[in-house]
Amino acid sequence: MNMDAWAGVAQTILDGFNRHYSLFREYSRAGKPCFENADWKKAAEASAERIKGYELRVQETVEEIRRNYPEAAGMAELWPRIKIVFIGKLMNHWQAECAETYYNSVACRVLHRNYYNSEYIFWRPAISTEYLEGSCPIYRSYYPDRDGLRRALLEILTSYGLSIPFENLRRDLRCLEHAVLERHQGGWKAQPNYQIQVLDSLFFRNKGAYIVGRMINGAERQPFVIPLLRRDDGTMVVDTLLMRQKDVAVMFSFSRAYFLVDMEVPSAYVSFLRSIMPRKSTVDLYAMLGLQKQAKTLFYRQLQHHLRHSRDNFQIAPGVRGMVMLVFTLPSFQFVFKMIKDRFDPPKTSSREEVREKYLLVKNHDRVGRLADTLEYSNVAIPLNRIDPALMKHLQEDAAGSIEIDGDHLVIKHIYIERRMEPLDNYLASASRAQRKHAIRDYGNSIRDLAGANIFPGDMLKKNFGVTRHSRVVFYDYDEICYITECNFRRVPPPRDYEDLMSDQPWYSMQENDVFPETFGPFFFAHPADMALFRKHHAELMTAEWWQQIKQDILSGGQADIFPYPEKIRFCNRRASNG
């Protein structure tokens, strides 16, 4: 294989990536017309197609290499040269880090796992993306001290070229200005460098469009997000202003759907976002921007780095053991590792493929802040000397079909990785009275939000919900998840006689998709005081009528309004309270 052929393989991979990213941007740009036309169904389809597109492009590239350069598949020693040529082609590439990841995806389809090292693939990044500039600046700057705050806000709101008018732009400007000045109380003083910077592209998700920016004043960087909502009458409103770092971080939570945002230079967007959310990792941010494969690459590098700088062992995750998933953790690392068992404990009857489909459903669906995102991997190698003996025993007993020993490593053929949360049942066992009250109420809110997004959790035991660092209750056990529209919600028929009443078996017939909300009580809370508190806020969750109405609303084309920020800070509530 001569040098022209090496360059040909490298160019084939780069062409495949460029096609992928061109389509990625095309799907991302669909967010704007979908928002303008209230076409929420098409926006969801664009998001799902964007996720699926990566694997399709990789497969196309692999097939093209095998067809045009068959020797590349059979001679692994050629790939270090191919990699060097590929690096040379990335010197001025605007998505170099993502192109490296794409190269890895292609190479790992062609090469044996023994060649997964830095000589053959991008184990470390080769091209720096720091200060990488595209054809246009990624953000615009405005100067309130020079032009006036209201003028600056007006220019920001009208700079994105949306085709729909504001319902009342003057009113929204007053609300925004008041909210900014409210945050600037307490001795705040404008410094010579006082400016507002906003990212050039809007962030679209569900029924909202978001202006993301930062306020610079002296050494301070203040994050802010302006949510725009489209009304049914074809106008739009400014819904609120988020300036607390916590509120902005929650908007970019791992339990929410990915944004549709058009980015010429994704690393520059990540850099900007990290400047206003320093606690967010680059893994989180690439994922929320829809670049899950890049997030996976960065996460795997972080895991390998952490293993080299830690000494604790992988061990069985605390809490109630799962019937379908084998879950383990590395205590010093804030994630859990989940494998599908070879055999499921009764009464579970689903198959491995069905479980994978459930996880894919969640990946493609609107997670409304209540479903944990997962990173899915194949052929993950873990040092054998870092595996606790009790965990190894469980792996060999419950998941032998998904593991193999290769030298001094355990290779896991398929695994999901999630952010670690404290299971709700464990959390409640040691929670203060105030924490307990909040968690019980938010547990019900979590079920409501999922229902509004057409998701029925199936198994609603508290062990299947976790509590995030922002004290939000999130669902993370997906083997029984399904769409609300697939369920048949029924009332429990009255007993026919005394024998029915005393029977330990149901006296009524049940079909596969029948659900009886009246029977949910024992799944929720056994303690009378906890159950009384739950009933106070969520009694209707135990009635068939409530679920039937939710189902009907969804079938009629409705989409619930679930906001990624507190209801009380919405401007419509401020206006109502002010008369």
Side-chain angles (χ1 to χ4, degrees):
M1 189 175 183
N2 59 35
M3 191 167 181
D4 288 342
W6 307 339
V9 174
Q11 189 62 49
T12 299
I13 297 173
L14 187 58
D15 289 345
F17 171 76
N18 288 340
R19 172 166 163 71
H20 152 68
Y21 200 76
S22 174
L23 290 169
F24 178 91
R25 291 189 68 183
E26 188 177 315
Y27 287 126
S28 298
R29 283 193 290 267
K32 186 169 183 273
C34 288
F35 176 79
E36 292 169 334
N37 299 314
D39 195 343
W40 315 127
K41 182 173 182 290
K42 186 174 179 180
E45 290 171 352
S47 184
E49 288 299 319
R50 193 177 66 168
I51 293 171
K52 290 190 292 186
Y54 185 90
E55 288 299 331
L56 293 174
R57 301 293 85 76
V58 167
Q59 190 56 41
E60 289 170 1
T61 304
V62 170
E63 289 171 1
E64 187 175 348
I65 289 171
R66 285 175 173 161
R67 184 171 58 251
N68 297 332
Y69 307 97
E71 60 270 46
M75 300 174 66
E77 63 271 17
L78 300 173
W79 282 82
R81 301 169 188 173
I82 294 169
K83 179 185 172 186
I84 290 170
V85 174
F86 189 79
I87 291 171
K89 295 177 179 292
L90 296 183
M91 288 303 178
N92 296 304
H93 201 286
W94 289 332
Q95 304 95 31
E97 79 282 20
C98 299
E100 289 178 354
T101 288
Y102 189 89
Y103 175 98
N104 286 352
S105 296
V106 172
C108 289
R109 298 291 198 285
V110 177
L111 298 171
H112 185 271
R113 199 188 64 79
N114 290 343
Y115 299 98
Y116 293 3
N117 59 61
S118 58
E119 187 178 358
Y120 296 85
I121 64 175
F122 290 94
W123 195 256
R124 297 182 303 274
I127 303 294
S128 172
T129 57
E130 191 173 10
Y131 298 113
L132 183 61
E133 295 286 347
S135 59
C136 299
I138 67 150
Y139 63 85
R140 301 186 298 272
S141 298
Y142 301 85
Y143 303 93
D145 244 17
R146 186 189 68 191
D147 304 324
L149 177 58
R150 186 172 298 192
R151 174 83 180 183
L153 294 171
L154 173 63
E155 290 181 1
I156 290 169
L157 290 179
T158 56
S159 64
Y160 290 95
L162 290 166
S163 65
I164 53 177
F166 283 90
E167 180 194 53
N168 189 331
L169 181 56
R170 188 184 298 271
R171 177 201 64 200
D172 289 350
L173 279 170
R174 283 199 307 268
C175 289
L176 271 179
E177 184 181 34
H178 180 72
V180 171
L181 294 175
E182 223 176 39
R183 290 290 296 179
H184 286 173
Q185 289 177 354
W188 185 90
K189 182 182 178 182
Q191 301 297 319
N193 67 337
Y194 177 38
Q195 60 191 285
I196 300 175
Q197 299 172 345
V198 295
L199 284 167
D200 188 57
S201 294
L202 286 167
F203 286 56
F204 295 95
R205 184 171 66 190
N206 302 337
K207 297 166 76 172
Y210 301 89
I211 299 170
V212 179
R214 61 194 177 196
M215 293 187 179
I216 309 293
N217 192 48
E220 183 184 3
R221 290 187 177 187
Q222 172 81 54
F224 75 86
V225 174
I226 302 173
L228 307 176
L229 298 185
R230 190 194 187 282
R231 296 173 59 84
D232 293 338
D233 63 3
T235 64
M236 63 180 170
V237 297
V238 174
D239 198 45
T240 190
L241 174 66
L242 308 179
M243 291 187 71
R244 291 196 312 165
Q245 199 166 91
K246 175 183 176 181
D247 291 334
V248 175
V250 165
M251 241 195 67
F252 284 82
S253 165
F254 65 90
S255 60
R256 299 193 181 276
Y258 311 125
F259 288 101
L260 293 172
V261 52
D262 183 28
M263 303 170 293
E264 187 176 61
V265 184
S267 60
Y269 272 70
V270 169
S271 177
F272 187 100
L273 293 170
R274 283 212 77 192
S275 76
I276 61 174
M277 293 180 284
R279 294 188 65 179
K280 289 284 182 188
S281 71
T282 52
V283 174
D284 297 328
L285 295 174
Y286 272 103
M288 291 312 299
L289 294 171
L291 295 164
Q292 301 89 26
K293 293 296 180 180
Q294 186 62 21
K296 284 178 61 175
T297 295
L298 294 172
F299 176 85
Y300 196 72
R301 289 170 179 163
Q302 286 183 11
L303 173 61
Q304 297 303 317
H305 178 82
H306 184 84
L307 285 173
R308 287 179 62 86
H309 295 84
S310 60
R311 291 182 294 173
D312 56 332
N313 289 340
F314 290 94
Q315 60 187 46
I316 299 167
V320 180
R321 303 278 170 83
M323 298 179 180
V324 171
M325 307 296 285
L326 189 157
V327 184
F328 61 95
T329 186
L330 186 67
S332 62
F333 200 53
Q334 281 294 102
F335 294 85
V336 293
F337 304 78
K338 303 172 72 170
M339 298 173 59
I340 304 173
K341 291 182 175 182
D342 291 341
R343 295 170 301 279
F344 303 158
D345 300 340
K348 303 287 186 177
T349 58
S350 55
S351 67
R352 169 182 289 271
E353 191 54 41
E354 286 172 334
V355 173
R356 292 187 69 164
E357 287 175 2
K358 303 289 188 184
Y359 275 79
L360 184 60
L361 182 159
V362 172
K363 175 66 70 176
N364 290 325
H365 199 76
D366 176 15
R367 293 189 291 279
V368 294
R370 300 297 187 176
L371 293 167
D373 192 17
T374 57
L375 297 174
E376 184 178 6
Y377 290 88
S378 300
N379 297 321
V380 174
I382 297 175
L384 281 169
N385 63 0
R386 298 293 297 274
I387 301 175
D388 186 82
L391 170 59
M392 179 59 79
K393 182 173 182 291
H394 276 279
L395 288 168
Q396 292 170 334
E397 290 176 352
D398 297 334
S402 296
I403 61 173
E404 65 177 74
I405 294 176
D406 183 3
D408 56 358
H409 281 79
L410 178 78
V411 179
I412 299 174
K413 298 175 184 177
H414 181 257
I415 195 166
Y416 296 104
I417 302 175
E418 289 177 3
R419 183 66 52 86
R420 187 164 68 210
M421 293 175 278
E422 185 170 8
L424 180 58
D425 54 346
N426 289 4
Y427 179 86
L428 291 173
S430 58
S432 67
R433 183 177 178 182
Q435 289 172 330
R436 190 177 193 85
K437 185 176 178 180
H438 172 81
I440 289 172
R441 186 169 184 176
D442 203 50
Y443 172 45
N445 289 337
S446 180
I447 296 169
R448 286 177 183 275
D449 289 348
L450 290 172
N454 195 19
I455 290 292
F456 182 66
D459 192 343
M460 290 187 283
L461 292 171
K462 294 185 291 298
K463 71 181 181 70
N464 297 326
F465 291 79
V467 181
T468 72
R469 65 184 178 91
H470 293 299
S471 301
R472 287 180 59 81
V473 176
V474 171
F475 187 65
Y476 54 62
D477 192 319
Y478 304 145
D479 58 273
E480 289 192 15
I481 206 170
C482 66
Y483 294 117
I484 292 281
T485 49
E486 295 175 350
C487 299
N488 180 30
F489 297 100
R490 295 176 53 192
R491 295 186 68 175
V492 175
R496 295 163 298 185
D497 49 36
Y498 182 75
E499 288 186 6
D500 280 354
L501 189 63
M502 299 305 294
S503 173
D504 58 357
Q505 297 294 322
W507 59 85
Y508 45 90
S509 63
M510 288 184 288
Q511 301 300 315
E512 183 179 355
N513 294 328
D514 284 350
V515 178
F516 298 88
E518 292 167 76
T519 66
F520 289 173
F523 292 95
F524 292 150
F525 295 98
H527 192 281
D530 291 345
M531 193 62 195
L533 179 59
F534 187 82
R535 282 186 180 278
K536 178 181 176 182
H537 300 290
H538 304 297
E540 58 267 45
L541 296 183
M542 291 171 279
T543 66
E545 291 77 10
W546 185 85
W547 292 92
Q548 289 167 356
Q549 185 60 56
I550 292 292
K551 177 179 176 179
Q552 187 55 49
D553 290 345
I554 294 168
L555 290 172
S556 300
Q559 181 170 338
D561 291 318
I562 301 169
F563 303 104
Y565 40 82
E567 176 74 23
K568 64 184 179 182
I569 69 171
R570 298 182 63 208
F571 288 162
C572 60
N573 293 325
R574 286 190 179 194
R575 291 192 290 266
S577 63
N578 292 334

